[in-house]
């Protein structure tokens, strides 16, 4: 996945705000003062990709006749999204955290 978003949500005893940002060209960067706090975090990763199919969308204020557009589908398995089971223990300050996602 080249484009998307990543979120770090405090988990268990971990305190602090949620942190996150955009994924661009397969890479994400968070400023040190905006990154996740130390401790356990649920990690959510989201992104879309083109399916290769065209779909008809209904009319709206921008396209009164409707339009045919490229269909976008989830590029990341659901287990890394809204119901993520991906938990990481973050050391502070962390300089690099990589993720290898499985397609199933």
């Amino acid at each position: 996945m080249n484009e998307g978003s990543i979120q770090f949500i405090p988990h268990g005893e971990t305190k602090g705000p949620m942190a996150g940002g955009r994924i661009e060209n397969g890479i994400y960067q968070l400023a040190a003062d905006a990154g996740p706090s130390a401790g356990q975090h649920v990690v959510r990763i989201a992104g879309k990709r083109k399916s290769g199919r065209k779909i008809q969308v209904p009319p709206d204020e921008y396209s009164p006749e409707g339009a045919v557009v490229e269909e976008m589908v989830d590029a990341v398995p659901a287990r890394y999204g809204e119901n993520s089971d991906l938990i990481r223990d973050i050391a502070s300050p962390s300089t690099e955290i990589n993720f290898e996602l499985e397609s199933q």
Side-chain angles (χ1 to χ4, degrees):
M1 179 190 71
N2 288 331
E3 311 295 322
S5 65
I6 188 166
Q7 295 178 316
F8 294 87
I9 302 154
H11 178 70
E13 300 294 317
T14 302
K15 304 289 185 217
M18 180 180 76
R22 293 204 37 79
I23 298 170
E24 296 179 12
N25 297 318
I27 298 171
Y28 72 95
Q29 292 182 336
L30 305 176
D33 61 348
S37 56
Q40 284 194 339
H41 293 264
V42 173
V43 181
R44 290 183 184 162
I45 301 172
K48 298 283 188 184
R49 66 174 173 77
K50 295 176 182 177
S51 71
R53 297 186 319 174
K54 302 278 186 178
I55 59 171
Q56 178 74 40
V57 294
D60 64 15
E61 64 183 281
Y62 302 106
S63 179
E65 291 84 34
V68 175
V69 298
E70 291 195 63
E71 179 184 50
M72 300 296 286
V73 296
D74 289 326
V76 179
R79 65 179 268 202
Y80 301 118
E82 191 66 32
N83 298 316
S84 180
D85 63 3
L86 184 60
I87 297 175
R88 286 289 190 272
D89 195 12
I90 309 294
S92 186
S94 293
T95 57
E96 185 173 317
I97 304 169
N98 295 318
F99 299 94
E100 294 293 329
L101 306 182
E102 299 173 4
S103 62
Q104 297 296 328

